Amino acid sequence: MTCVACAQPSTKVFCDPCAKLEYAELIRLYCRRTVSTSPVAMAQALMAHPRFPVAGQAHHPLVAGLLVAAYRNAGGAVGEGAIDTAIQRADTITGGFCAGFGADAAAIACGIAVSAIAGTTVKAEHAVARSLAHTLTGQGMLLIANNHGNRCCKRSVFTVLELAAHFFTATMGVTLAPPRGRIECAFSAQNKLCNGGDCKFYPAVAPAKAEPRLAVLG
Ligand SMILES: [Zn+2]
C-alpha cells in the first residue's frame, strides 16, 4: 500500500514519518499531492491519522484545505499558494469557536475555501465571489444549526463537506464527488461526547472498540 499522506510505499496506512506529523503539516502535505475530488472521503482519510484530534481547531484547516484541493483536482484553476492560504486562515479560528461566537468554524472554513480560490478582496470586483463564499458559509451554518446534543467536529465536517461538494458542482464550474450513500462516522468510539444513535452519521453497526480505522465509503 501507499501512505495516505505522502503517497510513498508503506506497510501502514500512514508511514512512520507521516504518522508523527502535526495536523497542519499533515493537511498541507496531503493537499499538495492528493488527486481526489471527494471532500468527504478525503476528510475520512486524514481524520484517521493517529495524531489527528477527536475535536477542535484542526478541523477548520482540514475543511478549507481539502475543498481547495478538491476544486483543483476537479480541474479548477487554483492560484499558487491558495491551499496554504486557506489552511493558514482557517487555522486562526480557535477550537470551541462554535460555542462562544455564535458561528460554526466548519461552515466558515467553507467560505474561506471559496475566498482563497477566488482571491477575494473587499473591492467591488469581488462582490460576486464574496457573495458566493457567504452563501456557502450561510448554508453550512443553517445545516449545523439543525443539529442537537453535544457539539461534534466530525459531524460538522461531514455536514459541510457534503453540502460543499454539491455547492461547488452547482456554482463553481467543477464537479466534485458527493458521498456515495450514507456517510458513516468512523470515529464515534474515540469520542467521549459522541451523540451515538442521535447522530445521522452514527454507524449502522456500532463499533466494538476504540481504534482508529479508515472508513470505506460505499
Ligand atoms: Zn507518508
Side-chain angles (χ1 to χ4, degrees):
M1 70 171 83
T2 58
C3 169
V4 165
C6 69
Q8 297 300 308
S10 172
T11 57
K12 303 171 187 168
V13 177
F14 291 93
C15 71
D16 288 338
C18 288
K20 297 187 177 79
L21 292 175
E22 295 290 345
Y23 69 83
E25 187 52 37
L26 169 72
I27 297 166
R28 274 192 288 271
L29 175 65
Y30 177 79
C31 286
R32 276 199 287 272
R33 70 98 198 138
T34 177
V35 295
S36 175
T37 60
S38 173
V40 170
M42 296 157 85
Q44 293 260 38
L46 281 195
M47 290 192 298
H49 184 272
R51 297 191 68 182
F52 204 93
V54 170
Q57 185 167 326
H59 296 78
H60 312 157
L62 178 77
V63 167
L66 293 184
L67 282 177
V68 180
Y71 176 82
R72 175 203 62 201
N73 294 343
V78 168
E80 192 174 345
I83 289 176
D84 286 346
T85 295
I87 291 170
Q88 184 274 328
R89 280 184 197 162
D91 201 19
T92 65
I93 308 174
T94 57
F97 195 87
C98 61
F101 288 78
D104 193 287
I108 298 172
C110 290
I112 288 173
V114 174
S115 298
I117 289 168
T120 308
T121 71
V122 297
K123 295 189 175 172
E125 63 260 35
H126 291 129
V128 171
R130 287 200 307 277
S131 179
L132 204 60
H134 296 182
T135 299
L136 178 56
T137 297
Q139 290 186 7
M141 292 287 182
L142 291 175
L143 285 178
I144 292 170
N146 275 326
N147 291 324
H148 61 280
N150 302 316
R151 81 87 169 79
C152 177
C153 298
K154 310 301 185 194
R155 181 179 63 187
S156 289
V157 166
F158 293 139
T159 298
V160 299
L161 289 182
E162 183 175 30
L163 163 70
H166 293 293
F167 185 91
F168 273 50
T169 300
T171 66
M172 294 183 63
V174 296
T175 300
L176 298 193
R180 297 176 62 195
R182 179 178 180 268
I183 299 171
E184 291 207 345
C185 180
F187 311 98
S188 54
Q190 300 159 253
N191 185 359
K192 292 188 177 73
L193 292 178
C194 176
N195 291 292
D198 285 341
C199 176
K200 61 186 172 184
F201 303 121
Y202 193 65
V205 178
K209 51 186 178 179
E211 287 183 359
R213 61 185 173 86
L214 270 177
V216 178
L217 296 178

